[in-house]
Amino acid sequence: MIYEMTKMQNNATFGAYLELTKKQQEYIRLKNETDLNEGEIASEIDVNRSTISRWKNNDKFREGFKGYQVEYLSNQVPKALQTMINLLDAKSELVRFQASKDILDRSGYTPVDKQELEVTTPNIINNIPLED
């Protein structure tokens, strides 16, 4: 798989994640994709919890963590979009409305601003329109 090394959201790059050690990468993956706590992850990757604490204070590690999260979340976009599309058929009118509005907002649709219109009506006297 080829990963773009371009800057992503929050200036995080997946490349920063790839520059970390294998154990750091595994910690980040487990932290984001499982419900394991710090102790369980430390045991799983065979490091001390104090090692993980040191990693968390390292700027390079934090950048890698953010880079992974941005990549991981961006891969969830199709699933999230499909969920929104499925909500268009929900039983609740409010849920359908909110899903529709959210999709339109995110796709850049902007409704026309309200405009004030002036309507003039002809003057009628004795049911006969006045000539101009």
Side-chain angles (χ1 to χ4, degrees):
M1 183 179 282
I2 297 173
Y3 296 100
E4 281 189 38
M5 300 300 176
T6 56
K7 293 269 182 180
M8 293 187 254
Q9 212 170 20
N10 300 325
N11 293 322
T13 66
F14 193 70
Y17 166 77
L18 294 174
E19 292 173 6
L20 300 175
T21 68
K22 293 296 179 197
K23 287 191 178 198
Q24 289 173 326
Q25 290 177 6
E26 188 63 6
Y27 167 83
I28 292 170
R29 187 188 69 75
L30 291 170
K31 188 69 174 169
N32 283 282
E33 296 181 26
T34 70
D35 292 330
L36 298 176
N37 64 37
E38 295 288 312
E40 292 168 328
I41 294 173
S43 179
E44 180 80 22
I45 63 174
D46 195 30
V47 297
N48 250 319
R49 288 178 75 167
S50 60
T51 301
I52 293 172
S53 293
R54 279 196 310 277
W55 291 347
K56 289 180 175 182
N57 291 321
N58 179 291
D59 289 339
K60 188 175 175 182
F61 178 81
R62 287 196 299 262
E63 278 299 306
F65 198 99
K66 282 193 275 181
Y68 181 88
Q69 286 179 323
V70 169
E71 181 73 17
Y72 179 74
L73 291 174
S74 69
N75 288 331
Q76 304 307 311
V77 169
K79 184 177 178 181
L81 182 56
Q82 189 58 53
T83 298
M84 291 301 295
I85 291 168
N86 292 343
L87 288 174
L88 294 173
D89 296 322
K91 289 182 182 180
S92 166
E93 185 176 345
L94 180 59
V95 170
R96 289 192 314 270
F97 170 77
Q98 288 174 330
S100 299
K101 184 176 181 332
D102 192 54
I103 289 170
L104 292 172
D105 288 349
R106 291 172 190 275
S107 64
Y109 173 80
T110 52
V112 176
D113 289 334
K114 290 181 182 178
Q115 296 179 2
E116 219 174 282
L117 298 176
E118 187 177 318
V119 178
T120 57
T121 56
N123 291 327
I124 298 176
I125 299 176
N126 297 328
N127 293 332
I128 302 171
L130 290 176
E131 300 282 331
D132 286 326

